[in-house]
Amino acid sequence: MRSLVLYGSVGLAMLLSCDGPVNVGVKLPTADDRPHPQLSDELNGVLENCGVIDLPYSFELGAYEWQGGDLSLEETRFITGDAQLESAVTIGVLPESPGAIHVLWLYPADDMLPMLSTFSTDGELKQVEGLAMGECHPDACYACKETITIDRRLRLLATDSVRDCECDSTHSPLPGRCRRFVRSRAGLITDRGVLLSPIQQQELTGD
């Protein structure tokens, strides 16, 4: 077993694995289960080596444990649609829909960002889309927790609970100078890709 080493720069080499968070139920397919034998070697490699994700599926950005299971550089660039990307982390494949194949993976950045690649049933890449709102960067004066959930009907909900405070020179929150709010965004995963709503924000009681 090997564990994923995280780096702050996209350009640095990273371990490419095909395992999701430890709380995800994964059904590993065999060669006889290959759903689309006419597809390219790259896509078939992912379908054979990655598990099908049980829905509903939830994950929190920044809270992951990984096991081994490598993909090739060619598979990485094929799945992500990025000819310059040297590595990524594949979580798994969403349950098959009649008109599409959906691969869920993480983009290597300061935080690992969840992405969805949608392919037609003959292997054409139709869309690559980020699922996170990507505004959660906690520090001493700003706390946040972003969670993304995909339900059995392929509906997506991203929520980010935030506590934003004014701080003194020692980076300690000032009493009565904090605000709390929740950002959210809904989406629907279709055969053409994911459709995302605008980000909404709801203010909560402060401090």
Side-chain angles (χ1 to χ4, degrees), residues 19 50 59 62 85 87 95 114 126 139 147 151 154 163 169 192:
D19 287 279
C50 289
F59 57 95
L85 191 61
S87 60
K126 305 187 80 158
D139 58 30
T147 303
D151 71 11
L154 298 184
R163 181 174 184 259
S169 59
R192 295 187 176 184

Side-chain angles (χ1 to χ4, degrees), residues 94-188:
L94 294 183
E96 186 178 359
S97 59
I101 302 167
H102 303 288
V103 180
L104 188 62
W105 56 281
L106 296 177
Y107 185 90
D110 291 339
D111 202 356
M112 303 296 285
L113 301 177
M115 309 287 291
L116 187 73
S117 292
T118 298
F119 295 86
S120 65
T121 53
D122 59 3
E124 177 187 358
L125 181 60
K126 305 187 80 158
Q127 185 197 57
V128 178
E129 185 67 51
L131 304 183
M133 291 176 286
E135 299 179 9
C136 184
H137 303 287
D139 58 30
C141 303
Y142 188 91
C144 53
K145 178 181 178 181
E146 183 169 355
T147 303
I148 297 174
T149 300
I150 302 172
D151 71 11
R152 290 185 176 89
R153 297 174 64 183
L154 298 184
R155 295 176 301 187
L156 179 144
L157 179 63
T159 59
D160 186 9
S161 301
V162 178
R163 181 174 184 259
D164 187 10
C165 300
E166 294 184 34
C167 290
D168 60 22
S169 59
T170 66
H171 300 288
S172 298
L174 296 170
R177 304 298 291 272
C178 295
R179 55 189 288 256
R180 295 178 183 270
F181 55 91
V182 175
R183 291 193 186 99
S184 62
R185 182 168 67 177
L188 179 65

Side-chain angles (χ1 to χ4, degrees), residues 185-207:
R185 182 168 67 177
L188 179 65
I189 299 172
T190 74
D191 289 349
R192 295 187 176 184
V194 60
L195 306 174
L196 296 172
S197 73
I199 296 174
Q200 306 291 324
Q201 183 167 307
Q202 179 182 2
E203 297 290 334
L204 305 175
T205 303
D207 285 31

